[in-house]
Every structure is written in C-alpha cells, then in structure tokens.
Amino acid sequence: MNRIATFVLMLIAVAAGPLLDARAQGVDVIPQPQQVEIHGDGFVVTADTLIIAEGAGREVGEYLAGVLGPATGYELPVRAHTGDPVIGGLILLELDAQDEGLGDEGYSLEVTDRGIDIRAKTPAGLFYACQTLRQLLPIEIDSDQVVEGVLWEVRGVMIEDVPRFGWRGMHLDVGRHFFDKAFVKHYIDLMARYKLNTFHWHLTEDQGWRVEIKKYPLLTEVGAWRTDGDGERYGGYYTQEDIREVVVYAKSRFVTVVPEIEMPGHSVAALAAYPGLSCTGGPFDVSTTWGVHKDVYCAGNEQTFEFLQDVLAEVMPLFPGAYLHIGGDEVPKDRWEACEKCQGRIKAEGLKDEHELQSYFIRRIDAFLTQNGKKLIGWDEILEGGLAPGAAVMSWRGEKGGIAAAQMGRDVVMAPYSHLYFDFQQSDEADELGATWGGYPIPLELVYSYEPVPAELSDEEAAHILGAQGNVWTEPIATPAQVRYMILPRMLGLSEVVWSQKEGRDWEDFERRVVGEYGRFGLMGLSYRDHRE
Ligand code: TNX
C-alpha cells in the first residue's frame, strides 16, 4: 500500500472512533457494547487468578467461577478483598451503589496486564459484565470439558456498557408443545448469555393448561393432556414447586418471569376441565387442532370471574415481577353473540357490543390485578372497545396497537410478527422448519433490522416503548433442539436490537460476530440455524 493510502486509512480509523477500532481488532461481543476501547496488554487467566467479590456481588462471583471452571479446569477462589499481593492477578467485581452513570444494568470492564476490573451499580450489571467477559475469552471457554493447551487470554480493553431498553424479552409457548423445567432453565440461560432479561412464559392454551392450580385440580388432571391424532396421550404441566424453582433460577440469571394466563380466548383446555365456564356448557376436549377457537370463557357468568380471580390469586405470589400477562388475543365473538348471559351483561352494563364486552372483561381483571399490586399486560386486541386503565400493551399485529397505546401514554412492548416471530420460517425453502402463515420468512437480517421505536412517536411517547421481545409459538416446534434452531441465532439479532445503541447497528459487522458465536454453539452441542445456508 502506498503512503497516501495508508494515511487516508488512518484518518478514516481516527474519525470512526473507538468502536471501529475495536471491531477491526476483533473484540467480538453480542450484543455490541456501547463503548469499546482497545488499550495496552491483555490479561491471562490462570489457575492462580483470584476472583474478588463481596456482599451482594458474591453470588455473581461464584457464577463467574462456575463459568470459567469446566473448560479451564481451574477452581478459582472467590474472596473478599484483602489487599495482599497476588501472583495470578485479580478479577475484581466491584459494586458501586453511587455510580449513577451505569444505571441499573450497566457495567464497566477494564482489562490490563494486572487483571480484570469490573464495576457496576448493581449485581445485574456485574452479571452482564461476566457475559461480556465470557465472549472476550477464546471460544473454547464454552466447552463443558477441560480443553488443554489454550491460553486463556483477554485482550487489553476498556468497555462501558448500558442497555438501551429495560424490557428485553423472549417468549415461549409451552401450551402447544410442552417443554419441561430443565429445558426452560436452559432457555433462560441462553437468554441471559445475550443480556436478555424478561421471560414471557405462555402457560395456558387451547391445547394444554400447564400450571398447577390447587383450587381447581382438573385444570391439570384434565386440561394438561390431549389425545393427538395418532392416538397418543400428549401433555405435561409444572407444579407450583417447579414454577418456584424456575423463578429462583431465573432470578440468579437476572431474568424476570412474566407468566401468561390466557383469557377470554385460547382457553379450550380450561373449558374441557370446567365446561360450566363456557357459554354453551360443553362438553369439550382439550384441543388437538391449531388456530383460533370459538369456545371462550363466558363473559356473562359470574363464575368465570370467580374462577379467574382464584387462579390469579394462586399465580400472582409465584411470580415476583410487576407484570402479569392475560392474553386477550384472538377472541371470536360468536358464542357471546348467541349467549343469553353475555347479552344480559351487555344490557346491564350499558355496553355497545361484544367488543365492549371484551373490554369490560379485561377491565375487571385489570382492577383485580391492580388491587393486588400487579400490572396487567395483554396482546394488542385489548385496545378494542377501550383500554383498561392500568393496562400495558404487547403489540403483535404489527406496530399499530403499540403506537396507539404509546400515544395514549401507555406502556408498550413491541413484538410484531413482521420481524420478531421466531416461530416463522427462516427461509422459504420447502423443508425449512417453522410456520408459514405469515406468508414470508423472517431471516436473521430482518430481525436485526428491527427498530422498536416507530418514527411517528414524539420523544415523550417513545419513552413508553419499554422494549421488544421475540415470540416462540410452538405449533410447528416440538422438541428442545427445534426451539434452539428457531432462536439461534435470531435471538442474538434481537439482543442487539434491544441492548445496543441504534447508531452502532452494522449488519456486516454483526454477521461476522454471529459466525463467531456459531463456533461456541458447536462446542456446546447446540442446534442452530446457520443463516448463510
Ligand atoms: C397468533 S400472536 C397467536 C398465537 C399463535 C401465533 C402463531 C398471538 C397473540 N396469537 O396464538 O400461536 O399466531 O404464529
């Protein structure tokens, strides 16, 4: 290269700043951190390295030792700071409650030849720094067996990082197909690796009721099982003990679990158990066909509300998070139109039609949740007939519902099926796994291009966009390997959409980093979809 060209290249590098510089030198982290600067010598983790963590940071220190252990074979001690000199250098996890700049989830991470210095205001921030550190290490760190002959080197770097959005979600439908608690924990682990923090657990469906409710044992005795076309009994459910276990596990990964109890639609499994809660009285079988079902909870029957409040009263204490998802999507009005009780309710309450009856339904549930200190979130259909006072909206039929809600000053989570439906196929090949009803595939690049804040919102309205999430409906997805195939790597694209700054988005660079992650998936024995194939 001639001298002028070299000079021009240097100028470009200086102008593009530290991010490009870091990229050029292969600091490959997903989601892309806010600020990365390369400097000086790196640090080598050895068997003599100490992890220093105390107080509320202790648990994250233990977690880090657990991450580094299997591949290195080192059992790194986790200690409080003594100030004594150490041979192998330190990985320091320091909580600084005063550090407002890093927010509730941000962190800084500095690597020098003396060690690794991690700071955050909260344990969550320390945890995210550990996820970054994991990716800064050679990919062999993700092996579950000791890998000999690897130098566990982290290059000299200074990172400062804070997330763009507070709701960084993944959803999993365990109604259509059931996934056991071990898999659910693994799913949460995969989320946490990419700094996602909200797990939306879709627990009830036409095809299966998946959560034990002590007051209504038939929900799981009857509602959790169906006889599929091949004559086989299919099903399963979580006991309340299982749920508690998953919630505790999620907490240790800084993931909040948002349960979804669907109403008034997608409720055939519950009606199979308690047909008296329907308009017609049944009988019903737990559904074995997909799609939208006409039988829904009767909105004219007081018993429906008693039942749902009893159910929610058992569900609420299991989930410490603020939100409870009540579904609200795809409610055909056929049964309500023909039901005396529903029509009686419409008259008595002075409602205009069945849409207002749906709104009445959600308002009652909203009031109940609010009384109990919870916030209601529902699919965008809950806007129809008037949005309940405390409700937040999850926008799935495009962004229209989310935009309308934000303009009303309501909180919104974006999950449009145009970009974030991870049950959709990833190509239009005939044998590609996944749903096709959307009419088009959702490849990784489309996910990556998603922008959660619609251009038409003012800054004030935009502040109501809590974030975004990927939805994994499981009609076409029956096994853990298939779920992984659907979310790896699309979930990584999402993680950058919700964590990283909009300005730094760069598909080619992301693609390079994602390919690096494929190497880790390989080491972990995880099925994934190579987006280049
Ligand atoms: C629509 S998204 C549904 C789900 C289906 C999904 C299939 C939503 C709120 N309702 O019940 O599983 O499409 O992609």
Side-chain angles (χ1 to χ4, degrees):
M1 204 184 308
N2 70 38
R3 251 192 279 164
I4 295 177
T6 313
F7 180 66
V8 169
L9 270 185
M10 273 169 55
L11 273 187
I12 294 173
V14 170
L19 210 56
L20 239 182
D21 186 34
R23 282 175 181 171
Q25 300 194 46
V27 173
D28 295 343
V29 178
I30 294 177
Q32 176 66 43
Q34 192 175 50
Q35 264 191 26
V36 182
E37 267 174 62
I38 302 287
H39 66 62
D41 291 335
F43 178 69
V44 179
V45 179
T46 68
D48 296 321
T49 302
L50 279 184
I51 297 176
I52 303 292
E54 48 195 70
R58 175 95 198 182
E59 227 178 290
V60 179
E62 308 277 359
Y63 170 83
L64 179 61
V67 165
L68 302 178
T72 60
Y74 308 153
E75 285 178 35
L76 302 186
V78 183
R79 303 238 179 95
H81 219 322
T82 60
D84 295 342
V86 280
I87 314 163
L90 298 180
I91 303 178
L92 178 66
L93 304 185
E94 195 157 20
L95 276 176
D96 179 358
Q98 306 312 319
D99 199 335
E100 296 298 333
L102 295 169
D104 284 342
E105 296 182 298
Y107 64 91
S108 68
L109 184 157
E110 183 171 26
V111 181
T112 67
D113 55 359
R114 279 162 292 121
I116 301 176
D117 192 353
I118 291 171
R119 283 166 207 277
K121 189 182 148 199
T122 62
L126 297 179
F127 180 81
Y128 292 133
C130 293
Q131 298 309 331
T132 296
L133 175 57
R134 186 211 291 260
Q135 290 187 42
L136 293 173
L137 282 157
I139 66 166
E140 289 80 4
I141 199 68
D142 278 310
S143 164
D144 62 2
Q145 286 165 37
V146 176
V147 190
E148 305 287 354
V150 177
L151 187 67
W152 302 106
E153 184 172 17
V154 190
R155 76 161 50 228
V157 73
M158 173 72 204
I159 294 179
E160 274 192 13
D161 201 11
V162 291
R164 183 173 170 208
F165 292 104
W167 186 301
R168 304 184 300 277
M170 283 292 287
H171 150 288
L172 183 65
D173 165 15
V174 295
R176 273 57 176 265
H177 283 103
F178 180 67
F179 296 90
D180 66 16
K181 70 177 171 190
F183 177 71
V184 172
K185 288 183 188 171
H186 167 67
Y187 191 83
I188 288 169
D189 252 341
L190 290 174
M191 289 174 57
R193 180 179 270 267
Y194 300 101
K195 305 188 176 82
L196 299 173
N197 68 353
T198 307
F199 172 51
H200 173 171
W201 204 355
H202 184 82
L203 286 167
T204 70
E205 256 307 334
D206 297 310
Q207 296 83 5
W209 180 282
R210 306 289 178 219
V211 48
E212 174 194 28
I213 301 295
K214 302 221 156 103
K215 189 156 183 191
Y216 299 97
L218 298 184
L219 284 172
T220 43
E221 273 169 42
V222 173
W225 306 95
R226 64 180 188 242
T227 306
D228 276 336
D230 53 10
E232 223 172 287
R233 289 293 274 169
Y234 179 90
Y237 66 91
Y238 313 103
T239 64
Q240 294 193 0
E241 209 36 56
D242 292 336
I243 302 257
R244 274 190 215 100
E245 191 182 318
V246 169
V247 168
V248 166
Y249 187 83
K251 186 160 180 272
S252 75
R253 302 296 186 262
F254 299 91
V255 168
T256 302
V257 186
V258 177
E260 179 178 353
I261 306 294
E262 271 260 22
M263 63 190 79
H266 287 287
S267 49
V268 171
L271 299 180
Y274 296 98
L277 303 174
S278 70
C279 292
T280 65
F284 308 100
D285 290 325
V286 175
S287 178
T288 55
T289 55
W290 315 133
V292 178
H293 293 61
K294 287 191 175 145
D295 289 295
V296 303
Y297 291 115
C298 175
N301 184 350
E302 269 311 292
Q303 279 172 8
T304 296
F305 294 96
E306 269 167 44
F307 165 82
L308 287 170
Q309 292 184 4
D310 288 343
V311 166
L312 293 173
E314 288 195 36
V315 170
M316 285 184 300
L318 297 172
F319 298 92
Y323 282 97
L324 208 143
H325 202 299
I326 53 76
D329 60 312
E330 300 181 321
V331 188
K333 306 296 184 296
D334 309 54
R335 297 293 182 260
W336 291 356
E337 281 164 14
C339 168
E340 237 172 72
K341 283 187 191 149
C342 289
Q343 293 306 313
R345 174 86 73 196
I346 289 178
K347 274 209 202 76
E349 297 291 332
L351 306 172
K352 205 166 74 214
D353 56 15
E354 288 74 20
H355 292 287
E356 289 200 355
L357 184 57
Q358 152 127 351
S359 168
Y360 164 89
F361 197 114
I362 306 294
R363 272 171 210 271
R364 276 189 71 166
I365 299 297
D366 179 48
F368 178 74
L369 290 178
T370 305
Q371 267 167 31
N372 285 280
K374 292 281 178 190
K375 291 197 222 174
L376 179 149
I377 187 163
W379 301 109
D380 56 56
E381 284 93 331
I382 66 171
L383 281 156
E384 293 163 15
L387 187 59
V393 170
M394 191 169 269
S395 197
W396 75 278
R397 295 175 302 174
E399 295 184 316
K400 277 196 311 290
I403 291 169
Q407 287 171 339
M408 292 163 63
R410 299 311 189 72
D411 288 343
V412 171
V413 175
M414 287 295 189
Y417 70 71
S418 56
H419 293 72
L420 301 183
Y421 267 41
F422 298 164
D423 57 324
F424 281 23
Q425 288 186 334
Q426 306 182 63
S427 78
D428 46 23
E429 301 290 313
D431 61 352
E432 180 72 51
L433 182 66
T436 51
W437 68 262
Y440 50 83
I442 301 185
L444 177 63
E445 192 170 357
L446 186 59
V447 175
Y448 191 73
S449 74
Y450 185 61
E451 168 49 39
V453 178
E456 50 266 68
L457 296 185
S458 69
D459 287 352
E460 199 183 319
E461 290 158 0
H464 288 289
I465 307 293
L466 303 180
Q469 79 176 29
N471 287 345
V472 183
W473 301 101
T474 57
E475 292 97 332
I477 307 166
T479 66
Q482 290 179 338
V483 173
R484 283 191 290 265
Y485 181 89
M486 301 311 270
I487 67 169
L488 303 176
R490 287 188 289 189
M491 183 179 74
L492 282 61
L494 171 71
S495 85
E496 197 138 323
V497 166
V498 288
W499 177 283
S500 306
Q501 297 306 305
K502 185 181 171 186
E503 295 70 31
R505 214 98 63 82
D506 176 338
W507 162 252
E508 262 124 54
D509 183 69
F510 173 73
E511 200 181 12
R512 182 180 58 73
R513 286 178 284 128
V514 127
V515 170
E517 290 300 288
Y518 293 165
R520 294 175 190 261
F521 298 157
L523 278 167
M524 292 187 278
L526 300 180
S527 45
Y528 63 97
R529 190 192 191 296
D530 188 327
H531 73 285
R532 298 164 300 182
E533 283 165 9

